[in-house]
Amino acid sequence: MAESEASGTVVVIDDDYVMRLTCRQILDKDGFQVETLEDGAQGLEAVARLKPDLVVVDLKMPGISGMEVISRLRELDPQVVIAVITGYASVASAVDAIKAGAYDFLPKPFTPDELRLVVARGLEHRRLMKASQQREIEREMMKRRFVTFVSHQLKTPLVAIHQYLNVLNHLDGTDGGRDKRKAWSDRCLKRADEMLQLIDDWLTLSQVEGGRLLKRRERLDLKGIITGILDSYAGSAQTNDVSLCGELPLSEYPVPGDRNCVTVLFDNLIDNAIKYNRPGGTVRVVAEVSRGEIVIDVVDTGVGISPQHHGSLFDDFFRVKGDATKDIPGSGLGLTICQRIVAEMGGRIEVESEPGVGSTFRVRLPMWRDQGQDEDNSPRSDP
Ligand code: ADP
């Protein structure tokens, strides 16, 4: 191993002088920081002081036994990786040591390469443990941030509803009271709807993240699903003065996936395309097959998104703030959900958008393949 490649601190505890010297020479040469000790007591003291990545312990030593050293090492530092040196053919003691918490063993006599292999394996294990611990910490911090953020997002409309109800409570039966009451209760309903939307999106996201929505992988036809979603949005499109159309010329667009997830995905994209549109605008859903993928574009002629926001669109709770969008309700979780679903399905989602012109959200999904199907088998064309 080249000197610059090796990093890590290794403590070797062995009563045999020659063994200590040999280990030190080999590991020193490979660039490790090495400390060698001749008994368990000194070894434990060195481990407490140096906090090494790996400890190599001889099982058979006078004084504190190797097994005892292992259990004390575990108490001292539960993360330290332990490799034991065992006597020739003493498989039973190696098994006992592993049960007691050692990670690996090295039967005597061993070659320099065998020592190197055990050390490299142990340090790789240590690196993976640290990385997974770090990921766990980051996940925990993200969860906390998320909870704080959601509480804040829920509190804002709730405080508003509280104030509106107070106003309603103090309205008397004077002229205009009925109209005012209606206006204030409409505001309450609007804010309550925002809260419900946020809770719904949050639940969907946690289901997607927990893998609960993506359990099934069946053959789905996107044509049927998208056509159904477009039909269900006819009313909302009319209210927003937006025209909707699907351009799905093939008879089917089969993908492997979960029906609920795929519905949530395109529902979000089509809903956004209508919401962030302008009166007289259009939403087109265009499908094509390209290189074994099904590519679906949701194209709108709406407010568009400036390039500086493109990188944040799929972040939790991200919403573009501006005059064009300030009165449009939303949780900022829709695109996060879309991205997670697409990633779980082995696909990608991309955006092209220009402020004032419109946006295209492009979803690429792997096409369904029957077992033994040819590489260039594509779905049937309409007759
Ligand atoms: P929201 O619930 O706010 O719609 P999304 O995660 O679906 O949350 O979208 C995040 C933000 O991206 C939106 O708040 C909006 O600013 C912007 N956005 C999403 N889709 C479009 C679109 N089709 N046209 C313009 N802006 C969009």
Side-chain angles (χ1 to χ4, degrees):
M1 193 184 299
E3 224 163 85
S4 56
E5 282 174 29
S7 73
T9 307
V10 183
V11 163
V12 179
I13 312 172
D14 198 320
D15 59 322
D16 180 339
Y17 172 74
V18 177
M19 192 61 81
R20 286 202 304 278
L21 191 69
T22 316
C23 289
R24 176 184 281 285
Q25 279 172 348
I26 297 167
L27 298 175
D28 254 352
K29 199 162 148 244
D30 285 352
F32 294 104
Q33 274 191 291
V34 195
E35 184 97 4
T36 58
L37 295 309
E38 62 182 80
D39 61 38
Q42 290 182 46
L44 288 166
E45 184 279 321
V47 168
R49 179 168 41 86
L50 293 171
K51 305 200 175 10
D53 300 294
L54 182 90
V55 183
V56 181
V57 192
D58 184 12
L59 271 190
K60 233 173 166 192
M61 290 185 295
I64 310 176
S65 74
M67 291 299 284
E68 177 70 20
V69 172
I70 294 174
S71 76
R72 293 219 211 151
L73 280 174
R74 287 265 73 95
E75 284 167 23
L76 211 59
D77 178 0
Q79 299 280 313
V80 73
V81 179
I82 305 168
V84 292
I85 300 175
T86 58
Y88 177 70
S90 63
V91 178
S93 51
V95 172
D96 286 345
I98 294 215
K99 278 190 193 154
Y103 175 69
D104 210 340
F105 64 95
L106 191 60
K108 271 183 197 167
F110 51 83
T111 64
D113 279 346
E114 283 165 344
L115 173 68
R116 286 191 180 105
L117 190 69
V118 165
V119 169
R121 227 168 19 212
L123 290 176
E124 176 62 4
H125 176 64
R126 165 94 168 164
R127 193 186 63 74
L128 292 175
M129 270 198 312
K130 273 188 175 167
S132 99
Q133 203 182 22
Q134 186 57 31
R135 272 200 302 278
E136 199 45 52
I137 293 170
E138 275 163 18
R139 233 197 325 263
E140 191 51 40
M141 278 168 62
M142 229 169 75
K143 235 193 278 169
R144 277 191 211 155
R145 274 206 304 273
F146 204 71
V147 168
T148 314
F149 199 88
V150 171
S151 317
H152 172 77
Q153 295 289 92
L154 287 176
K155 201 172 158 190
T156 311
L158 197 57
V159 167
I161 290 172
H162 192 268
Q163 286 167 352
Y164 300 158
L165 287 174
N166 258 325
V167 176
L168 266 171
N169 234 354
H170 288 90
L171 282 181
D172 53 26
T174 54
D175 273 351
R178 174 194 282 254
D179 287 348
K180 281 186 191 158
R181 233 178 238 116
K182 166 97 173 72
W184 285 107
S185 51
D186 279 351
R187 287 190 191 187
C188 280
L189 286 171
K190 188 165 172 262
R191 303 311 297 257
D193 282 346
E194 281 171 33
M195 291 175 71
L196 285 175
Q197 183 63 54
L198 174 63
I199 292 168
D200 274 352
D201 285 351
W202 196 23
L203 286 175
T204 307
L205 183 60
S206 78
Q207 281 176 327
V208 173
E209 284 185 332
R212 267 172 288 155
L213 271 189
L214 288 157
K215 268 193 209 127
R216 289 165 60 85
R217 266 179 207 275
E218 53 182 334
R219 187 184 197 279
L220 301 172
D221 174 25
L222 289 185
K223 183 165 183 150
I225 294 176
I226 291 172
T227 309
I229 299 173
L230 286 172
D231 287 347
S232 74
Y233 273 100
S236 140
Q238 204 175 9
T239 312
N240 286 275
D241 189 15
V242 168
S243 64
L244 287 183
C245 74
E247 295 174 20
L248 302 102
L250 299 182
S251 63
E252 58 169 7
Y253 294 87
V255 293
D258 176 281
R259 180 169 295 275
N260 281 338
C261 283
V262 172
T263 306
V264 167
L265 166 64
F266 289 106
D267 196 289
N268 266 320
L269 295 179
I270 293 170
D271 184 35
N272 280 351
I274 298 172
K275 258 191 339 188
Y276 299 107
N277 220 307
R278 56 177 171 76
T282 58
V283 173
R284 292 184 306 128
V285 182
V286 186
E288 66 163 0
V289 176
S290 165
R291 296 182 192 168
E293 285 181 328
I294 297 208
V295 185
I296 309 280
D297 285 355
V298 180
V299 190
D300 68 60
T301 55
V303 297
I305 307 155
S306 49
Q308 86 219 51
H309 298 309
H310 291 188
S312 318
L313 282 176
F314 300 96
D315 293 349
D316 300 346
F317 300 113
F318 178 81
R319 304 203 72 213
V320 176
K321 291 188 179 72
D323 284 346
T325 54
K326 71 177 188 317
D327 293 325
I328 303 173
S331 65
L333 286 176
L335 289 178
T336 311
I337 295 170
C338 292
Q339 196 186 41
R340 305 264 159 94
I341 291 174
V342 171
E344 282 290 323
M345 292 177 71
R348 273 170 298 149
I349 181 165
E350 297 150 6
V351 62
E352 282 169 16
S353 184
E354 203 183 316
V357 177
S359 311
T360 297
F361 282 84
R362 176 164 301 137
V363 174
R364 296 174 186 277
L365 296 172
M367 205 165 85
W368 171 272
R369 300 210 157 272
D370 290 325
Q371 272 189 344
Q373 193 181 355
D374 244 355
E375 269 299 294
D376 13 287
N377 248 358
S378 46
R380 296 186 305 276
S381 293
D382 273 336

